[in-house]
mmCIF file of all heavy atoms in Angstrom:
data_model
loop_
_atom_site.group_PDB
_atom_site.id
_atom_site.type_symbol
_atom_site.label_atom_id
_atom_site.label_comp_id
_atom_site.label_asym_id
_atom_site.label_seq_id
_atom_site.Cartn_x
_atom_site.Cartn_y
_atom_site.Cartn_z
ATOM 1 N N VAL A 130 -13.028 -14.131 28.551
ATOM 2 C CA VAL A 130 -13.575 -13.876 27.197
ATOM 3 C C VAL A 130 -14.272 -14.967 26.553
ATOM 4 O O VAL A 130 -15.014 -14.866 25.553
ATOM 5 C CB VAL A 130 -12.426 -13.390 26.234
ATOM 6 C CG1 VAL A 130 -11.690 -12.159 26.850
ATOM 7 C CG2 VAL A 130 -11.478 -14.504 25.918
ATOM 8 N N ILE A 131 -14.056 -16.229 27.030
ATOM 9 C CA ILE A 131 -14.583 -17.390 26.317
ATOM 10 C C ILE A 131 -16.086 -17.498 26.324
ATOM 11 O O ILE A 131 -16.647 -18.057 25.402
ATOM 12 C CB ILE A 131 -13.871 -18.676 26.878
ATOM 13 C CG1 ILE A 131 -13.851 -19.708 25.792
ATOM 14 C CG2 ILE A 131 -14.619 -19.184 28.171
ATOM 15 C CD1 ILE A 131 -12.935 -20.873 26.078
ATOM 16 N N GLY A 132 -16.771 -16.951 27.289
ATOM 17 C CA GLY A 132 -18.212 -17.017 27.360
ATOM 18 C C GLY A 132 -18.811 -16.233 26.180
ATOM 19 O O GLY A 132 -19.709 -16.727 25.492
ATOM 20 N N GLY A 133 -18.250 -15.080 25.807
ATOM 21 C CA GLY A 133 -18.697 -14.332 24.669
ATOM 22 C C GLY A 133 -18.435 -15.034 23.365
ATOM 23 O O GLY A 133 -19.276 -15.019 22.446
ATOM 24 N N MET A 134 -17.280 -15.733 23.289
ATOM 25 C CA MET A 134 -17.031 -16.484 22.073
ATOM 26 C C MET A 134 -17.957 -17.689 21.882
ATOM 27 O O MET A 134 -18.469 -17.989 20.838
ATOM 28 C CB MET A 134 -15.522 -17.007 22.149
ATOM 29 C CG MET A 134 -14.548 -15.948 22.086
ATOM 30 S SD MET A 134 -12.824 -16.718 22.170
ATOM 31 C CE MET A 134 -11.807 -15.259 22.055
ATOM 32 N N MET A 135 -18.286 -18.314 23.030
ATOM 33 C CA MET A 135 -19.206 -19.469 22.981
ATOM 34 C C MET A 135 -20.580 -19.007 22.558
ATOM 35 O O MET A 135 -21.285 -19.716 21.780
ATOM 36 C CB MET A 135 -19.210 -20.154 24.350
ATOM 37 C CG MET A 135 -17.944 -20.825 24.699
ATOM 38 S SD MET A 135 -17.988 -21.603 26.373
ATOM 39 C CE MET A 135 -19.043 -22.992 26.101
ATOM 40 N N LYS A 136 -21.012 -17.864 22.996
ATOM 41 C CA LYS A 136 -22.289 -17.316 22.648
ATOM 42 C C LYS A 136 -22.382 -17.012 21.160
ATOM 43 O O LYS A 136 -23.454 -17.294 20.494
ATOM 44 C CB LYS A 136 -22.586 -16.073 23.437
ATOM 45 C CG LYS A 136 -24.018 -15.596 23.311
ATOM 46 C CD LYS A 136 -24.298 -14.378 24.221
ATOM 47 C CE LYS A 136 -25.723 -13.928 24.081
ATOM 48 N NZ LYS A 136 -25.967 -12.720 24.972
ATOM 49 N N LYS A 137 -21.298 -16.542 20.598
ATOM 50 C CA LYS A 137 -21.258 -16.258 19.137
ATOM 51 C C LYS A 137 -20.919 -17.460 18.347
ATOM 52 O O LYS A 137 -21.030 -17.447 17.099
ATOM 53 C CB LYS A 137 -20.208 -15.174 18.926
ATOM 54 C CG LYS A 137 -20.523 -13.788 19.450
ATOM 55 C CD LYS A 137 -19.447 -12.746 19.141
ATOM 56 C CE LYS A 137 -19.699 -11.409 19.682
ATOM 57 N NZ LYS A 137 -18.585 -10.395 19.333
ATOM 58 N N ARG A 138 -20.474 -18.565 19.019
ATOM 59 C CA ARG A 138 -20.018 -19.788 18.300
ATOM 60 C C ARG A 138 -18.885 -19.468 17.331
ATOM 61 O O ARG A 138 -18.850 -19.998 16.240
ATOM 62 C CB ARG A 138 -21.235 -20.451 17.621
ATOM 63 C CG ARG A 138 -22.294 -20.783 18.504
ATOM 64 C CD ARG A 138 -23.423 -21.678 17.827
ATOM 65 N NE ARG A 138 -22.862 -23.039 17.587
ATOM 66 C CZ ARG A 138 -22.835 -24.020 18.479
ATOM 67 N NH1 ARG A 138 -23.363 -23.860 19.719
ATOM 68 N NH2 ARG A 138 -22.386 -25.214 18.228
ATOM 69 N N HIS A 139 -18.061 -18.602 17.754
ATOM 70 C CA HIS A 139 -16.877 -18.277 16.983
ATOM 71 C C HIS A 139 -15.795 -17.635 17.880
ATOM 72 O O HIS A 139 -16.060 -16.815 18.726
ATOM 73 C CB HIS A 139 -17.256 -17.215 15.888
ATOM 74 C CG HIS A 139 -16.093 -16.651 15.154
ATOM 75 N ND1 HIS A 139 -15.243 -17.383 14.298
ATOM 76 C CD2 HIS A 139 -15.485 -15.427 15.265
ATOM 77 C CE1 HIS A 139 -14.333 -16.636 13.889
ATOM 78 N NE2 HIS A 139 -14.379 -15.394 14.410
ATOM 79 N N GLY A 140 -14.557 -18.066 17.677
ATOM 80 C CA GLY A 140 -13.522 -17.505 18.431
ATOM 81 C C GLY A 140 -12.145 -18.115 18.200
ATOM 82 O O GLY A 140 -12.052 -19.294 17.662
ATOM 83 N N ARG A 141 -11.091 -17.334 18.443
ATOM 84 C CA ARG A 141 -9.723 -17.816 18.298
ATOM 85 C C ARG A 141 -8.935 -17.464 19.623
ATOM 86 O O ARG A 141 -8.903 -16.291 19.978
ATOM 87 C CB ARG A 141 -9.054 -17.130 17.096
ATOM 88 C CG ARG A 141 -9.685 -17.429 15.736
ATOM 89 C CD ARG A 141 -9.418 -18.702 15.224
ATOM 90 N NE ARG A 141 -9.928 -18.877 13.862
ATOM 91 C CZ ARG A 141 -11.168 -19.362 13.606
ATOM 92 N NH1 ARG A 141 -11.980 -19.738 14.616
ATOM 93 N NH2 ARG A 141 -11.590 -19.479 12.337
ATOM 94 N N ILE A 142 -8.331 -18.426 20.176
ATOM 95 C CA ILE A 142 -7.433 -18.238 21.342
ATOM 96 C C ILE A 142 -6.043 -18.648 20.906
ATOM 97 O O ILE A 142 -5.828 -19.779 20.472
ATOM 98 C CB ILE A 142 -7.895 -19.067 22.562
ATOM 99 C CG1 ILE A 142 -9.273 -18.644 22.958
ATOM 100 C CG2 ILE A 142 -6.863 -18.854 23.646
ATOM 101 C CD1 ILE A 142 -9.923 -19.535 23.975
ATOM 102 N N ILE A 143 -5.078 -17.724 20.957
ATOM 103 C CA ILE A 143 -3.709 -17.978 20.532
ATOM 104 C C ILE A 143 -2.812 -17.614 21.707
ATOM 105 O O ILE A 143 -2.784 -16.535 22.201
ATOM 106 C CB ILE A 143 -3.360 -17.135 19.324
ATOM 107 C CG1 ILE A 143 -4.208 -17.458 18.131
ATOM 108 C CG2 ILE A 143 -1.885 -17.360 18.988
ATOM 109 C CD1 ILE A 143 -4.108 -16.531 16.970
ATOM 110 N N ASN A 144 -2.082 -18.666 22.205
ATOM 111 C CA ASN A 144 -1.167 -18.480 23.361
ATOM 112 C C ASN A 144 0.251 -18.529 22.870
ATOM 113 O O ASN A 144 0.582 -19.399 22.002
ATOM 114 C CB ASN A 144 -1.392 -19.541 24.375
ATOM 115 C CG ASN A 144 -2.810 -19.542 24.930
ATOM 116 O OD1 ASN A 144 -3.326 -18.469 25.220
ATOM 117 N ND2 ASN A 144 -3.423 -20.732 25.097
ATOM 118 N N ILE A 145 0.999 -17.512 23.299
ATOM 119 C CA ILE A 145 2.426 -17.459 22.923
ATOM 120 C C ILE A 145 3.291 -18.181 23.873
ATOM 121 O O ILE A 145 3.493 -17.762 24.987
ATOM 122 C CB ILE A 145 2.909 -16.035 22.706
ATOM 123 C CG1 ILE A 145 1.958 -15.258 21.741
ATOM 124 C CG2 ILE A 145 4.360 -15.947 22.173
ATOM 125 C CD1 ILE A 145 1.838 -15.801 20.364
#
Side-chain angles (χ1 to χ4, degrees):
V130 305
I131 206 163
M134 293 180 180
M135 292 176 71
K136 188 174 182 180
K137 292 180 179 179
R138 302 189 71 84
H139 170 73
R141 302 282 186 267
I142 298 168
I143 301 171
N144 298 319
I145 305 301

